[in-house]
Structures are given as C-alpha cells and as structure tokens.
Amino acid sequence: QAHRTEAIDLLTKSLDAAVKSTTAGSPQMQQTIHETRLLLAEIRLEEEKPVEALPLLQPLVDDLKAKPPGPLDKGSLRVWIAALQTYPALGDSPKAIEVGQLLLANGEDHPQVNGVLMQYARIIRNDWKRTEGELFAANESKDEGRINNAKLAQTAGHEAMIKLVDEMSKRKNFDLAGMVFLAENDSELGRSDKSRAQFQAILDRAAADPAFAKQAAKAMIRIRSQFIGLLRADGKYEEALKQVEALLKEQPNALEPMMEKGNILQAPAEKDPKRYDEAAMWWTGSRKTPDNAPKT
C-alpha cells in the first residue's frame, strides 16, 4: 500500500507536469499523458476506487470511440478492460454495454479479455431477467397496455441474450466460470442441445487437462448433475440413468445426483404409471440415507 501511494503521488505529479508542458500538444507528449492517465486509472481500480478511476479513464474512452473501429492494440485493450470494470461498478449499465459491444467485436480471444466480457454478459442477463420480472408483474396487474409492452421488452431481452451467448460461444479461451455461465444460460434460454454441448466441453477438458480438472474438482458434481438433468429433460432416460449411476458410485451421498436419479426414475413414470413403484422406492430409500439426502 505504501508503494502504491507513492506511485500515485509520482504519477499525479508527472501527469500535471505533462499537461502544463509547452509541448503538451505534441504526439509524443499526448502519448505520455495517455499512458500516465491509464496507469493511474488501473491503480485506482486495483484499490477498488472506480470513482477516482473514472475521470482519468473517460478521456481515453472518448478518444478511442472517436477512432474508426478495428483490431485493438494492447493500449486500447487496456482502456476497454478498465472501462468495463469501472462502469458496472458505478452502476452505469448503458456505458458498460456500449464498451462491452466494442470489446466483444474487436477484442481478441484471450482469457483476460473473455474474463472481463463476462461482466458485460451479466449486465445483459440481468436486463433480460428484469424484463421477465416486469412481464410477471404486468400479467398480475391485468393492464393490457402494460402487458403488451412487457412482452415486447421480454422478447427483446431474450433475443439479446441469445445473440450474446452465440457470440461469446465462438470464443474458446474461457475459464471454468465462463464455460459454466455459457452452459447454464443456454439451458435457461431453452437451448438444451447447445447447453449439453457446453457441459460436455467442460467434461472433455477436465478429462484431458489435469490442471483444469483440479480447478474444476469442487464444481464437478454440480456440472455432471446439470448435464445429466439435460439428458433427462430431452427424454434420454437410459443415458441419464447410466451417467447418474456412475456419479453416485463415485459420490454415493451427494445430494444433486441423488435428486437427479429420483427425477430420472419419475419422469417416464408420468407416462407409464406402472413405473411409479420404482421411483417411489428410490425416494423412500433416499430418505433413510445420511443427513444430506433428499427429503420428500
């Protein structure tokens, strides 16, 4: 912290001197001012002080927006990344969305870029979820005008989320959290095939990459259970049962696969009542297992 404080003091003095310099308008000095502002803004963000970062960063964002769109150099990329950290922290969703769109279109497929893009994706998702909440409230109100407006907003939000997930899915360099985010949102969007493919990609990567497998170890029960749930939802009961049995063999007392097995057994029974006994036996037996077992 002492070093950071000293760095801020020295950079602030440097910036003031550069701005007041007789050569402030020269290309070389403008580059010095640009780099000093950016470094100061990044340090402020490291301190979790976006309010202090914004006035340093905004002129850099404005300069970039005035240039023709195109591939980003490292300096420009740093500006967009810092902006996409600053605007959401200050609750400025419109500016965050604008920057996110530019970064999505022009940023390279790199873990750091993709990690920051997840902040943009969460803003779009939150907007979509708000439209769903408004549609529910509108239906409760019985106001036809409000209902129609809410339906239009919900449709637009749904389509925006589909477009975003499709664009994000073209990128490959995501960490575990990013891969799960895409898979879960495809599921919520009603695209089970795409969601299942995303979860399968996580499982395949864990099988091939020991370092990734170690990172994913704590989340793997949930990931495999969600994948099995998608198989069940698509009516692939035999494959789902095979997968859940394998998972329960490894983790016999894990809650999620225990619940999922009951759901798998129950699903076909809803069409063939003769199969309810098997499902009932599983749920009844599960109640007698340890404390973390499902209760019915």
Side-chain angles (χ1 to χ4, degrees):
Q1 180 60 46
H3 290 165
R4 185 182 288 116
T5 300
E6 183 180 3
I8 290 172
D9 181 58
L10 292 171
L11 286 167
T12 300
K13 290 177 179 177
S14 176
L15 180 60
D16 289 343
V19 170
K20 295 174 183 177
S21 170
T22 56
T23 61
S26 69
Q28 184 177 0
M29 189 57 73
Q30 283 295 306
Q31 183 63 26
T32 297
I33 292 171
H34 176 102
E35 291 177 356
T36 307
R37 283 183 181 277
L38 179 55
L39 184 54
L40 267 171
E42 289 172 335
I43 293 174
R44 289 304 193 184
L45 288 172
E46 288 177 2
E47 294 183 306
E48 298 183 357
K49 294 180 178 179
V51 172
E52 284 82 354
L54 181 61
L56 295 161
L57 194 60
Q58 191 61 55
L60 309 183
V61 172
D62 293 339
D63 286 346
L64 280 181
K65 285 165 62 178
K67 294 179 180 179
L72 301 177
D73 58 30
K74 290 184 178 180
S76 300
L77 182 59
R78 285 170 59 199
V79 172
W80 289 138
I81 288 174
L84 204 47
Q85 292 172 324
T86 300
Y87 292 137
L90 297 177
D92 195 338
S93 292
K95 287 185 178 179
I97 290 172
E98 182 182 15
V99 171
Q101 290 170 338
L102 290 167
L103 187 58
L104 182 63
N106 300 299
E108 63 181 312
D109 185 2
H110 184 277
Q112 184 184 18
V113 177
N114 295 343
V116 176
L117 279 171
M118 296 309 299
Q119 298 182 48
Y120 165 58
R122 290 186 177 95
I123 294 171
I124 300 299
R125 184 182 188 281
N126 289 341
D127 287 347
W128 168 43
K129 288 300 177 181
R130 275 195 291 271
T131 65
E132 291 191 335
E134 168 57 20
L135 180 57
F136 178 82
N139 286 327
E140 291 290 307
S141 74
K142 309 297 184 183
D143 183 329
E144 287 298 323
R146 184 180 177 186
I147 291 171
N148 290 334
N149 288 335
K151 285 181 178 178
L152 290 172
Q154 195 276 336
T155 299
H158 187 267
E159 290 176 352
M161 194 64 197
I162 287 177
K163 182 179 179 180
L164 173 64
V165 173
D166 283 344
E167 287 296 316
M168 296 280 281
S169 296
K170 295 176 183 177
R171 296 169 171 263
K172 303 301 179 185
N173 292 303
F174 284 105
D175 61 9
L176 175 63
M179 296 177 76
V180 170
F181 178 89
L182 293 174
E184 290 181 339
N185 277 279
D186 265 325
S187 179
E188 283 193 81
L189 289 164
R191 307 193 307 175
S192 59
D193 287 351
K194 290 181 178 292
S195 179
R196 200 165 61 245
Q198 287 283 1
F199 278 121
Q200 186 64 62
I202 297 173
L203 299 175
D204 292 344
R205 184 173 170 185
D209 184 347
F212 181 79
K214 184 176 180 180
Q215 176 194 1
K218 291 183 179 179
M220 197 52 69
I221 293 175
R222 177 188 171 201
I223 290 168
R224 290 173 66 181
S225 295
Q226 287 177 291
F227 179 70
I228 291 165
L230 288 168
L231 290 172
R232 169 180 56 79
D234 286 345
K236 303 179 186 296
Y237 302 128
E238 290 186 9
E239 178 62 20
L241 190 59
K242 178 182 176 181
Q243 297 258 3
V244 82
E245 292 285 11
L247 182 52
L248 283 169
K249 187 175 181 179
E250 298 172 22
Q251 302 288 339
N253 294 322
L255 175 61
E256 288 176 302
M258 291 178 75
M259 294 287 290
E260 193 51 57
K261 181 175 179 180
N263 291 331
I264 293 167
L265 294 173
Q266 188 170 320
E270 293 173 0
K271 296 181 179 179
D272 181 3
K274 295 179 181 178
R275 303 186 65 173
Y276 266 122
D277 287 348
E278 185 181 9
M281 287 178 63
W282 171 254
W283 287 120
T284 303
S286 297
R287 294 183 64 185
K288 299 175 182 178
T289 56
D291 293 339
N292 65 340
K295 303 294 190 292
T296 56

